Amino acid sequence: MDYTAKLDDALNRLHEEGRYRTFIDIERKKGQFPHATWRKPDGSETPITVWCGNDYLGMGQHPVVLSAMHEAIDATGAGSGGTRNISGTTVYHKRLEAELADLHGKEAALLFTSAYIANDATLSTLPKLFPGLIIYSDELNHASMIEGVRRNGGAKRIFKHNDLDDLRAKLEADDPAAPKLIAFESIYSMDGDFGPIEAICDLANEFGALTYIDEVHAVGMYGPRGAGVAERDRLMHRIDIINGTLAKAYGVMGGYIAASAKMCDAVRSYAPGFIFTTSLPPAVAAGAAASVRHLKTDQELRDKHQTQAKILKTRLKGMGLPIIDHGTHIVPVIVGDPVHTKQLSDMLLEGYGIYVQPINFPTVPRGTERLRFTPSPVHGPDEMDRLVRAMDELWSHCALNRAELAG
C-alpha cells in the first residue's frame, strides 16, 4: 500500500471541501491582551487582535495568577514528576481540588490535565462502577463527552438537543431498575444556548437517574461565585457530577470533576485516563487555584464580560448580520459555507489584523459554518469599533456579498 498517497487523499478531501484547518503562529502580549503578534510563514510579524480566544476574562495575564505561578515554580521547579499515583500529587494539586470542591459545594473534586480528559475518562469509567448503566446523552454534547460515552462499553441513548419529550420517551422505554445517567451541558459552545438544567434534574429524579453536567463554558463566568449556570440557577445540589475547565475563564490549563467524595474516589481508582497520566505542573495548579479563588469574589469582572457580549451582539444585529443570540457570552455569526467562512476569516486577519478562526464541520453541522467571536472585558471600545467596521465593510462590499454569505 502507498501510505503516503492515502495521507494525501485524506488531506486533499479537506482542502477540496474547504475544511482544512490552518494554524497561525501568535505570541500573546502580557499586559496587552487581546493584542498579540502574528508570525507569518515568511518570518515577518504583524500586530493582531484576538477575537476567538477562550481566555474569556483575561485571567491568563492577571497578576494574582502570574504571582502564584512564579512562586510555585521558584519553590518546586517545572514538572510534577509523575502521575498522581506515583509522586505527582503535590500540595498545589490538593489545594486546587479543595478550591474546586468548595466552588461547587461538593465533598470533593478530581483534577485532570484537561476537561476533555475529565469528560472522556469519567464517562468511560462509570459503567465499570455501575454495571448495566444506560447513559442518555444530548446529541450536541461536546466531542469529549461523545467519545467517553461511545467507548465505555455500556448502553447509550442519544436524545434530541434540549428535547425533554424525547429524553422522557427514551427514559420510559428502558428498564426502570437499570442504573441511568443523563449527560448534558449548561452552555453549548457553538450556538451559545443553555441546557434546561432544572427540567432535566426533574426527569432524573422521576426516573432515578444520575446527572452529569459539563459547565466548561460557564465556570468562572456565571453564578455569584463563578461556579456556573447551575449555581446561578441554584441547582448545583441537584447535579451529581459537574465537569469544568481551568483553561477558559480561569486562564490556565486543566479540567476536573466535582462530586461526592465516594464518586471522586471511585473515578480516581478506576479511570485509566487519570491513573496513567502525568499530573499538571505544580505551577499550573497554583495559578489555577489562585484564579478560582479570585473569581469567587470578582463579580465586577463577570458583569463587564456580559456587558461586552451584549454590546457586540447588539451592534452586529443592528448591521443585519445573521447572529445567534441565546443570551450567553458566545457570539456566532453564521456564514453557511466552509470556503466563504475561511475567506472571510482570512480577509479579517490580513486586511484588518483581526483574528477569528473559522468553525466548520464536524464541529458544527454542514451549512451552519460560522465565525464565533468571544468578547472579553479586555476588548475595549477601540477594538470593538474596529471589529464592527471590518465586518460591515467585508459583509457589504467584498466579492462574497451578504446574500451569498447568508446562504
Side-chain angles (χ1 to χ4, degrees):
M1 176 179 285
D2 187 341
Y3 294 100
T4 300
K6 292 295 183 183
L7 293 175
D8 286 338
D9 289 343
L11 292 172
N12 285 336
R13 286 196 299 272
L14 295 178
H15 281 289
E16 290 168 1
E17 296 174 15
R19 295 195 296 116
Y20 182 77
R21 302 184 182 192
T22 302
F23 296 157
I24 74 165
D25 297 334
I26 65 172
E27 181 181 355
R28 286 172 29 126
K29 300 292 186 181
K30 185 183 77 170
Q32 300 176 39
F33 186 79
H35 300 291
T37 297
W38 171 27
R39 299 182 185 278
K40 297 181 180 181
D42 63 6
S44 62
E45 298 182 354
T46 300
I48 62 171
T49 301
V50 178
W51 273 98
C52 57
N54 283 336
D55 188 354
Y56 289 129
L57 302 178
M59 292 300 293
Q61 63 173 3
H62 198 285
V64 167
V65 176
L66 300 185
S67 176
M69 295 185 74
H70 280 297
E71 181 181 334
I73 201 167
D74 288 342
T76 68
S80 68
T83 66
R84 289 292 299 275
N85 294 317
I86 306 176
S87 79
T89 295
T90 71
V91 64
Y92 299 99
H93 297 86
K94 298 301 292 182
R95 287 175 184 166
L96 175 53
E97 287 175 336
E99 286 286 355
L100 293 168
D102 171 76
L103 174 69
H104 292 290
K106 299 298 184 186
E107 292 178 337
L110 190 63
L111 184 62
F112 294 80
T113 51
S114 73
Y116 187 107
I117 298 298
N119 271 332
D120 184 12
T122 303
L123 289 169
S124 63
T125 297
L126 289 174
K128 300 176 186 176
L129 308 176
F130 307 104
L133 179 69
I134 304 171
I135 295 182
Y136 303 80
S137 178
D138 189 289
E139 66 179 346
L140 293 190
N141 278 342
H142 188 266
S144 58
M145 301 174 76
I146 293 171
E147 182 64 15
V149 172
R150 183 191 65 80
R151 67 182 190 85
N152 66 22
K156 63 179 182 293
R157 311 282 186 261
I158 311 303
F159 62 92
K160 296 175 185 177
H161 178 53
N162 281 351
D163 190 327
L164 298 170
D165 291 335
D166 190 42
L167 174 57
R168 170 178 286 279
K170 287 177 167 55
L171 288 163
E172 289 176 338
D174 284 317
D175 181 356
K180 302 174 178 67
L181 179 140
I182 305 172
F184 62 107
E185 300 186 34
S186 63
I187 295 178
Y188 291 84
S189 64
M190 289 300 113
D191 285 352
D193 56 331
F194 291 103
I197 302 175
E198 184 171 21
I200 287 178
C201 289
D202 289 343
L203 284 174
N205 286 348
E206 182 179 346
F207 289 92
L210 295 171
T211 48
Y212 184 108
I213 192 170
D214 180 309
E215 289 258 33
V216 159
H217 288 274
V219 289
M221 296 173 285
Y222 294 80
R225 297 204 307 159
V229 180
E231 182 195 31
R232 183 198 69 179
D233 296 346
R234 300 181 180 182
L235 296 169
M236 281 198 302
H237 63 288
R238 301 187 65 185
I239 303 293
D240 294 294
I241 304 173
I242 298 172
N243 169 276
T245 186
L246 303 165
K248 291 182 170 58
Y250 293 118
V252 192
M253 177 187 175
Y256 62 90
I257 61 168
S260 69
K262 286 186 178 180
M263 181 70 76
C264 288
D265 192 21
V267 173
R268 176 190 70 83
S269 301
Y270 281 86
F274 177 87
I275 295 169
F276 298 105
T277 298
T278 298
S279 64
L280 287 172
V284 173
S291 187
V292 172
R293 192 179 310 115
H294 175 84
L295 285 177
K296 287 177 180 178
T297 60
D298 197 342
Q299 185 60 41
E300 182 179 355
L301 193 60
R302 277 189 284 279
D303 291 342
K304 188 175 180 182
H305 179 229
Q306 291 294 322
T307 297
Q308 291 294 83
K310 290 175 183 175
I311 291 172
L312 181 57
K313 286 186 284 189
T314 298
R315 295 187 67 176
L316 294 179
K317 282 180 185 177
M319 293 159 48
L321 269 63
I323 79 164
I324 299 175
D325 183 5
H326 290 288
T328 66
H329 61 281
I330 294 169
V331 186
V333 177
I334 303 300
V335 180
D337 177 89
V339 175
H340 294 168
T341 307
K342 179 65 165 64
Q343 288 176 340
L344 187 54
S345 171
D346 289 345
M347 286 187 288
L348 284 167
L349 180 63
E350 294 164 6
Y352 298 87
I354 292 170
Y355 175 42
V356 56
Q357 191 74 358
I359 307 293
N360 294 324
F361 178 84
T363 306
V364 296
R366 296 182 193 274
T368 70
E369 292 82 2
R370 66 199 63 184
L371 299 177
R372 189 186 63 158
F373 297 97
T374 53
S376 76
V378 292
H379 285 93
D382 290 342
E383 287 84 8
M384 188 85 72
D385 288 343
R386 284 196 292 270
L387 172 62
V388 171
R389 284 198 300 269
M391 287 296 289
D392 190 32
E393 291 173 11
L394 290 177
W395 205 272
S396 301
H397 304 298
C398 69
L400 305 175
N401 63 63
R402 182 178 302 176
E404 185 180 4
L405 283 170

